[in-house]
Amino acid sequence: MLGSRLCERLACSVPSGSPKATPCKRLCLNRQRVRALDDEKVGRFSEISQQDDQKAMVFGLSPAQLLIASVSGFGLVALDVFDSHSLHLLAPIDVALHSWVTEYFSPSTSQLFGRWISDIFIVPELLLWPVLWVLMLRKDFFEGGAVLSLSCMAYAMGGPILHGDTALVNALKVAFQRARPGGIHRTFAFPSGHTTAAMLLTGTILFVFLPVLFDALPQMQGKVVETEKKEVGPSKMDVVGKYAPVIWGLAYFTTAAGRVGADAHWLSDTLAGFFLGIGLVASLRIGVEEVIKAKNIENSS
């Protein structure tokens, strides 16, 4: 960079009457045009980066705002359940649902809810995750590798495992030590690991994996600036983006119904898992956006 600037200065300093003036001036103008285009590209990337934080992820909130909202929601549920001075607004609902399940659900019905309805979103999405990993790696090895690594970290915090809970969920359960409503005493209840996993798996597919595959993240619009191609990414996400909140909400309600119907959790446990899963997805989205933003800046320099 220093050599090219010095060369340009020497070229531009040649007197106009010199025999070398014409080629030197041409070199000077070419250097200035290239630098102007580079500066324009960097400026457009910077403008995109400044607008990234204003882009809504879901529910009209950016990933950072969604993370703050999820942490606040989890905190409010925890305060309502465990603070002795709270109004315990969720307690009557918890007790009513538990009483209804114990009175009207047979053991076989509770088993159906626990083994099948609880996992109706989790099992297919566990199979879909590796497929989407491969597709992202084939599309762009750097971006796919970054998403794979970050999503594995998120999974380690809140994803489903065969027996027990992942690190974050287990730590919270041990910290709160809330007993389950039914006869399951192997682990504590708060928050619901199944609900956390369903929200994490579904939200990651809808708001991380598919936007990366379709170049629909705000940071990926830099590719359009760089290659001057027609912007087609967001149009591919129109249908998914329209129904994504509905699908995410359906994942919660189905999984929560399964856990409450199995008498394995209080409803408030599933609400805590709802907010925890959203927080993990928002954190993952922030991490992926920062990686792609850094790549764009590096490519534009």
Side-chain angles (χ1 to χ4, degrees):
M1 180 65 71
L2 180 60
S4 63
R5 292 292 176 87
L6 179 60
C7 179
E8 180 185 338
R9 288 182 180 178
L10 291 175
C12 295
S13 64
V14 175
S16 300
S18 172
K20 298 182 179 180
T22 300
C24 287
K25 288 295 182 182
R26 188 180 300 115
L27 174 62
C28 172
L29 292 174
N30 287 339
R31 295 283 188 183
Q32 290 175 344
R33 290 193 190 100
V34 169
R35 192 167 75 249
L37 290 174
D38 289 341
D39 291 342
E40 180 182 0
K41 185 191 296 183
V42 172
R44 294 177 72 179
F45 271 120
S46 300
E47 183 180 354
I48 291 172
S49 299
Q50 291 173 359
Q51 295 174 353
D52 288 340
D53 294 336
Q54 306 301 324
K55 297 288 184 179
M57 172 179 160
V58 66
F59 307 133
L61 301 175
S62 69
Q65 293 169 333
L66 193 63
L67 177 59
I68 294 172
S70 65
V71 172
S72 301
F74 184 92
L76 289 173
V77 173
L79 283 174
D80 183 76
V81 172
F82 297 104
D83 188 359
S84 59
H85 300 292
S86 72
L87 297 176
H88 298 295
L89 299 176
L90 296 173
I93 304 175
D94 284 340
V95 174
L97 287 174
H98 170 60
S99 300
W100 189 80
V101 167
T102 55
E103 182 175 355
Y104 293 104
F105 277 27
S106 65
S108 59
T109 303
S110 294
Q111 189 176 38
L112 172 67
F113 272 74
R115 289 189 175 181
W116 296 100
I117 297 180
S118 295
D119 296 332
I120 198 170
F121 272 85
I122 293 175
V123 173
E125 289 168 345
L126 278 175
L127 301 176
L128 185 57
W129 266 44
V131 175
L132 295 175
W133 279 340
V134 172
L135 292 176
M136 286 185 291
L137 287 171
R138 291 186 61 184
K139 172 179 172 291
D140 188 308
F141 188 79
F142 175 84
E143 290 175 358
V147 175
L148 191 154
S149 301
L150 292 172
S151 60
C152 284
M153 293 173 60
Y155 186 96
M157 302 299 287
I161 58 178
L162 187 59
H163 296 293
D165 295 297
T166 49
L168 178 60
V169 174
N170 184 67
L172 291 170
K173 286 188 175 184
V174 172
F176 289 109
Q177 296 190 2
R178 189 187 197 188
R180 294 177 182 266
I184 303 174
H185 302 293
R186 180 167 48 86
T187 59
F188 295 109
F190 188 95
S192 167
H194 268 76
T195 312
T196 302
M199 295 301 294
L200 171 63
L201 294 175
T202 308
T204 299
I205 291 172
L206 294 173
F207 302 109
V208 180
F209 290 170
L210 293 182
V212 169
L213 281 173
F214 295 151
D215 290 337
L217 291 179
Q219 290 75 13
M220 289 180 164
Q221 302 315 306
K223 293 183 178 180
V224 180
V225 176
E226 183 177 3
T227 61
E228 296 183 357
K229 292 181 180 179
K230 184 180 179 181
E231 183 178 340
V232 297
S235 63
K236 297 179 181 179
M237 284 293 294
D238 283 346
V239 175
V240 176
K242 181 178 180 179
Y243 295 105
V246 177
I247 297 172
W248 213 11
L250 186 61
Y252 165 70
F253 285 111
T254 304
T255 308
R259 303 317 290 156
V260 174
D263 208 22
H265 281 287
W266 308 97
L267 179 66
S268 51
D269 300 334
T270 68
L271 284 174
F274 169 82
F275 287 116
L276 182 58
I278 289 178
L280 289 172
V281 174
S283 300
L284 175 59
R285 172 75 174 250
I286 291 172
V288 170
E289 288 186 353
E290 289 300 319
V291 169
I292 295 175
K293 185 188 300 184
K295 180 190 175 186
N296 287 343
I297 294 175
E298 181 180 354
N299 290 342
S300 66
S301 61

